[in-house]
Amino acid sequence: MSDNQPENIIGGKSFTAVAVNCASKAGEWIKSKMGSFTQLDTKYSMHDLVTEVDKGSERMIRNLIGTHFPHHSFLGEEGVEPGPEASAKALMDMSDSEYLWIVDPIDGTTNYVHGFPFFSVSIALAYRGQVIVGVVYDPSRDEMFVAERGKGAYVRGRKIQVSEENTLSQSLIATGFPADHHIALPANMKGIQALAPKVRNLRIAGSAALHLAYVAAGRLSGFWEYNLSSWDIAAGSLLVEEAGGRLSDLNGETYHIGIRNVSASNGLIHEELLEELELAKASQ
Ligand code: IPD
Ligand code: CA
Ligand code: CA
C-alpha cells in the first residue's frame, strides 16, 4: 500500500501495523539488554539519563519507519539536543510535516537503568498535527496499548476504557518527578503536597507514557506532570482520548502536540484535579 493514498490518512491500518511492529521489536530488544548496557550518560541534568540502548532502540524504530514510509518526518528524543527548550523547538521546526512520527525509544530510562520493570516504548503518528495512531508497549508485562483515531483503544486486542471514579477521594492519581529541578520539580511538589491528602493514593512510577496508558486502561483515575516533551505524551494522549478520557494542559486547554504541562483523566475528575493543582499553584 502506498503511503499517500487518501484512505490511509485516518487510522490507516498499515500505519498502526508498522507502529506495533516497531514497538514490539524495540521493546523485545531493550528487554534483552536490561542489566547489560555498557554506557550510562547524563543529559540535561544529573536526573536525565541515557544509555546506548536508548539510542539503539531509536535507531531501530527510525530505520523501520523509514523503510515503510520514506517521506514521513521523524521526531525522536535521542535525535534532539537535551532540555525543554530544544525539545519544544524541535517540535516547532517539524510542525509543517504532513506525517510526523513522534517517538520515545525508552520512556522511563531511570527505571530501566535500575532494573525497575516500569518503562515503555512510545510511538505516535500525527497527521497535520493531530495524533492518529498511538502505541505504548510495556515489554516487562508484554502489554501493547494501541489506539487509532476513531477506532478505540486496546490492550492485547481487548478494548479498554477509563475508570468511573467521580471524586478525587476515590481516585488513584499519578505524577512524575521531572528532570528539570529548577521550575518543574518545585511546581510538581506543590501539587503532590496538595493532592496527597485528598486522593485515595498517589503513584509516581517513572514512565509518563505508561502512566497515560494506565489512565486509558482504567488502572489510574488521572495523571499530571509538568514540562514533559511531545514524545512522552503523544501516543498516550490518543489512548486516553479513545478510551473515553480527557486530556488538557494544566489550565484546561484541550490537548495538542505542543502541550508540555499535561493533565489526563477519566474526565469525571478532571475539573476537580485542575482546580486543586491551580489552588496549589502547581500549574505555573
Ligand atoms: C521521563 C519519564 C518520567 C518523567 C520524566 C520523563 P525518559 O522520560 O517519562 O516518568 O517523570 O519527566 O522525562 O527520560 O525516561 O524518557
Ligand atoms: Ca520520556
Ligand atoms: Ca526516553
Side-chain angles (χ1 to χ4, degrees), residues 54 77 82 108 139 158 182 208 267 277:
D54 297 71
E77 176 175 15
R158 192 171 40 82
H182 297 291
L277 292 172

Side-chain angles (χ1 to χ4, degrees), residues 109-276:
T109 299
T110 304
N111 285 345
Y112 183 73
V113 163
H114 286 264
F116 185 96
F118 195 85
F119 51 86
S120 59
V121 178
S122 176
I123 301 179
L125 174 62
Y127 173 69
R128 296 194 174 150
Q130 185 184 50
V131 180
I132 58 168
V133 175
V135 171
V136 175
Y137 181 50
D138 169 359
S140 309
R141 290 172 56 88
D142 188 23
E143 286 192 319
M144 181 77 71
F145 297 88
V146 181
E148 272 183 37
R149 183 160 295 279
K151 294 192 179 170
Y154 296 82
V155 63
R156 292 206 186 114
R158 192 171 40 82
K159 201 165 193 313
I160 50 175
Q161 269 195 315
V162 292
S163 65
E164 292 178 355
E165 299 83 40
N166 57 15
T167 63
L168 278 185
S169 61
Q170 300 167 310
S171 291
L172 186 62
I173 304 283
T175 185
F177 287 124
D180 160 29
H181 280 205
H182 297 291
I183 300 169
L185 182 65
N188 253 21
M189 292 305 286
K190 287 183 194 165
I192 290 168
Q193 196 157 16
L195 279 161
K198 303 208 162 146
V199 297
R200 181 166 283 161
N201 220 317
L202 285 177
R203 294 289 177 264
I204 304 178
S207 165
L210 212 41
H211 280 143
L212 289 167
Y214 275 33
V215 172
R219 298 172 187 175
L220 287 169
S221 326
F223 165 72
W224 92 92
E225 194 169 339
Y226 193 86
N227 217 355
L228 288 171
S229 294
S230 57
W231 45 76
D232 301 308
I233 311 172
S237 76
L238 191 62
L239 286 164
V240 172
E241 277 180 42
E242 288 294 324
R246 184 174 158 198
L247 225 96
S248 72
D249 81 351
L250 295 182
N251 298 314
E253 185 191 344
T254 303
Y255 171 76
H256 57 80
I257 56 172
I259 275 179
R260 304 182 61 89
N261 304 330
V262 77
S263 168
S265 78
N266 62 10
L268 303 171
I269 56 153
H270 207 87
E271 288 302 327
E272 207 186 341
L273 178 59
L274 290 182
E275 273 163 31
E276 290 298 339

Side-chain angles (χ1 to χ4, degrees), residues 43 48-50 54 58 77-78 103-109 120 231-232:
K43 299 201 289 183
D48 190 11
L49 305 181
V50 65
D54 297 71
E58 181 159 317
E77 176 175 15
E78 307 311 335
V103 172
D104 192 336
I106 303 181
D107 186 53
T109 299
S120 59
W231 45 76
D232 301 308

